[in-house]
């Protein structure tokens, strides 16, 4: 291994930082001009960046830029802007690799949980849910995670005004596609939602706005979520889905790259690992540490101090070496 002096090491590190700043600048430039017409050329440019730099650094820069431009806490971001950004990620996810969309979604879901108790005026989770809904519309995820999010909002503590608003927002944005893909599960969830709304003491003491939202849910007939006020825009989704189909390189990958992952899987990655990413090797650290400790204790119990000292002198530097060395010396 070649020795690199500290001064040179510092220069190398600074050049890495410069390249990340340059990547971020180029990505920002592409996202600034993002529109339906420019999508094809933007996709080619970002794919070139992925080929010439490490995926981890591009994923990190892309997440940061998405976070800064889409997750406003003050107001709802334009739905067309959220839809176009979601479409770009879904295309990168399908054409390059599923770790791209997975990385973004994992971080966004962590933010969603952090803001679960926000006031009604904070719009971070509203923007997040619309964005995630469009990830479903463009085949990056299946309905499993959306149903998990609705159940999470229903079951955590008591249903309040903000959580009810988020459930209605999700149903307005993407409920029609959920009804088409999994009508039985949507019917079950809407029944559960009506039951919770009727029994919630917190909601019954709330404002006229909450009363209106509850009445809207109760009046839904045949689970037809298209009847929700200000709801589903089929023209936009159909138009963007057509663009998606035209820009996907390998049509067979569309369904194989779709993430069939639940909310808890994303929230428990530190304990359970990312099983949905091929090559994402993971081992629970605690169990490995315990295993090593057990091996050391076994060797100490099996051989006396004299043998252990001899093993150390002969540079038996692993458990297996010490075990073989001790076994050979003590055999009759």
């Amino acid at each position: 291994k070649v020795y690199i002096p500290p001064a040179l090491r510092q220069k190398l590190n600074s050049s890495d930082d410069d390249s990340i700043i340059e990547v971020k600048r180029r990505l920002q430039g592409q996202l600034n001009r993002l529109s339906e017409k420019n999508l094809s050329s933007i996709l080619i440019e970002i794919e070139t960046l992925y080929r010439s730099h490490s995926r981890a650094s591009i994923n990190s820069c892309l997440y940061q830029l998405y976070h800064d431009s889409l997750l406003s806490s003050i107001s709802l971001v334009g739905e067309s802007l959220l839809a176009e950004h979601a479409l770009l990620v879904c295309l990168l996810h399908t054409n390059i690799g599923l770790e791209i969309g997975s990385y973004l979604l994992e971080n966004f879901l962590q933010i969603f949980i952090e803001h679960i108790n926000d006031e009604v005026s904070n719009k971070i989770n509203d923007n997040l849910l619309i964005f995630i809904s469009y990830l479903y519309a463009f085949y990056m995820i299946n309905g499993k995670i959306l149903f998990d999010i609705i159940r999470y909002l229903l079951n955590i503590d008591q249903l309040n005004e903000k959580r009810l608003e988020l459930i209605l927002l999700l149903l307005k944005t993407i409920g029609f596609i959920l009804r088409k893909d999994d009508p039985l599960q949507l019917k079950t969830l809407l029944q559960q939602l009506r039951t919770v709304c009727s029994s919630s003491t917190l909601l019954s003491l709330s404002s006229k706005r909450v009363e209106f939202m509850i009445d809207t849910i109760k009046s839904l007939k045949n689970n037809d979520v298209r009847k929700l006020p200000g709801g589903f825009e089929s023209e936009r989704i159909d138009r963007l889905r057509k663009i998606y189909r035209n820009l996907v390189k390998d049509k067979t990958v569309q369904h194989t790259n779709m993430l069939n992952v639940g909310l808890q899987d994303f929230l428990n990655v530190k304990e359970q690992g990312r099983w949905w990413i091929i090559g994402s090797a993971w081992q629970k650290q605690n169990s490995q540490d315990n295993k090593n400790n057990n091996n050391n204790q076994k060797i100490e119990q099996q051989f006396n101090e004299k043998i252990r000292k001899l093993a150390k002198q002969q540079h038996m530097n692993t458990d297996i070496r010490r075990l073989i060395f001790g076994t050979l010396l003590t055999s009759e």
Side-chain angles (χ1 to χ4, degrees):
K1 199 175 179 182
V2 181
Y3 171 73
I4 302 169
L8 258 177
R9 256 178 264 160
Q10 202 169 353
K11 276 185 185 176
L12 286 171
N13 290 339
S14 65
S15 69
D16 285 349
D17 292 344
D18 291 342
S19 73
I20 288 170
I21 291 165
E22 175 60 19
V23 163
K24 203 169 183 180
R25 188 188 64 76
R26 284 174 67 183
L27 277 172
Q28 181 73 74
Q30 295 305 317
L31 293 178
N32 284 346
R33 65 188 196 89
L34 181 61
S35 67
E36 290 176 34
K37 289 177 184 176
N38 296 335
L39 199 61
S40 178
S41 61
I42 289 167
L43 193 62
I44 291 164
E45 181 65 31
I46 296 177
E47 282 177 2
T48 308
L49 283 174
Y50 267 104
R51 280 195 295 271
S52 55
H53 295 81
S54 80
R55 286 193 184 185
S57 59
I58 305 280
N59 286 348
S60 178
C61 292
L62 197 64
Y63 160 69
Q64 198 57 56
L65 292 169
Y66 266 60
H67 179 281
D68 296 345
S69 59
L70 301 180
L71 301 190
S72 167
S73 60
I74 303 159
S75 61
L76 284 171
V77 175
E79 202 163 319
S80 59
L81 185 73
L82 289 162
E84 285 160 6
H85 277 74
L87 179 58
L88 176 63
V89 168
C90 294
L91 283 163
L92 291 169
H93 177 90
T94 307
N95 288 346
I96 299 174
L98 55 81
E99 66 272 22
I100 297 167
S102 173
Y103 178 84
L104 202 72
L105 184 58
E106 183 187 317
N107 284 286
F108 274 2
L109 286 171
Q110 297 287 355
I111 293 169
F112 176 77
I113 298 302
E114 284 168 22
H115 290 271
I116 201 76
N117 294 315
D118 280 354
E119 297 294 318
V120 177
S121 57
N122 191 317
K123 298 297 177 189
I124 284 179
N125 273 354
D126 301 61
N127 292 318
L128 259 175
L129 270 192
I130 296 171
F131 179 78
I132 292 169
S133 297
Y134 279 112
L135 295 182
Y136 169 64
F138 307 133
Y139 314 109
M140 194 188 103
I141 54 176
N142 65 9
K144 184 178 182 179
I145 198 159
L146 294 177
F147 286 120
D148 281 355
I149 287 170
I150 296 171
R151 281 193 203 94
Y152 188 86
L153 289 166
L154 276 174
N155 297 331
I156 182 173
D157 303 328
Q158 270 217 43
L159 188 67
N160 60 18
E161 184 179 348
K162 181 66 183 177
R163 289 174 198 147
L164 184 61
E165 182 185 54
L166 289 172
I167 291 168
L168 271 174
L169 180 67
L170 196 148
L171 292 172
K172 281 177 192 174
T173 310
I174 213 73
F176 178 68
I177 302 177
L178 284 172
R179 183 176 183 245
K180 199 175 169 184
D181 292 347
D182 197 343
L184 192 64
Q185 196 165 177
L186 183 68
K187 184 183 177 182
T188 308
L189 263 178
L190 285 172
Q191 283 171 349
Q192 190 184 345
L193 180 59
R194 289 188 191 104
T195 308
V196 171
C197 286
S198 303
S199 61
S200 174
T201 50
L202 198 64
L203 285 177
S204 61
L205 300 169
S206 295
S207 61
K208 292 281 181 191
R209 181 169 177 265
V210 175
E211 279 180 36
F212 173 74
M213 287 195 283
I214 292 171
D215 290 341
T216 305
I217 290 162
K218 286 179 180 175
S219 64
L220 282 177
K221 288 179 182 174
N222 301 321
N223 306 316
D224 192 354
V225 285
R226 288 174 300 179
K227 298 284 194 292
L228 289 169
F232 187 72
E233 289 185 32
S234 60
E235 295 84 10
R236 177 192 289 136
I237 289 180
D238 291 342
R239 192 175 66 248
L240 292 175
R241 276 181 161 182
K242 192 177 177 184
I243 294 169
Y244 173 86
R245 284 191 289 270
N246 291 336
L247 293 176
V248 166
K249 289 177 182 173
D250 184 355
K251 305 292 186 249
T252 58
V253 172
Q254 178 180 311
H255 295 293
T256 54
N257 271 14
M258 189 185 282
L259 293 172
N260 183 21
V261 186
L263 178 63
Q264 288 306 320
D265 291 317
F266 276 112
L267 299 182
N268 298 333
V269 287
K270 287 181 181 174
E271 291 81 27
Q272 295 172 1
R274 297 172 183 85
W275 56 263
W276 55 93
I277 296 178
I278 297 165
S280 179
W282 177 86
Q283 193 169 30
K284 197 168 183 180
Q285 195 59 48
N286 295 342
S287 63
Q288 187 60 34
D289 292 344
N290 292 340
K291 198 176 170 185
N292 291 339
N293 291 338
N294 290 341
N295 286 344
N296 288 336
Q297 283 170 8
K298 242 184 232 175
I299 290 162
E300 281 177 19
Q301 287 165 10
Q302 204 164 339
F303 307 115
N304 60 35
E305 198 179 342
K306 189 181 174 184
I307 300 292
R308 291 202 300 272
K309 275 184 183 175
L310 270 172
K312 197 175 181 182
Q313 283 169 14
Q314 298 301 320
H315 307 294
M316 299 296 150
N317 53 1
T318 66
D319 291 336
I320 290 173
R321 284 181 182 181
R322 285 192 286 270
L323 193 61
I324 293 168
F325 180 80
T327 306
L328 287 171
L329 282 188
T330 54
S331 296
E332 290 180 7

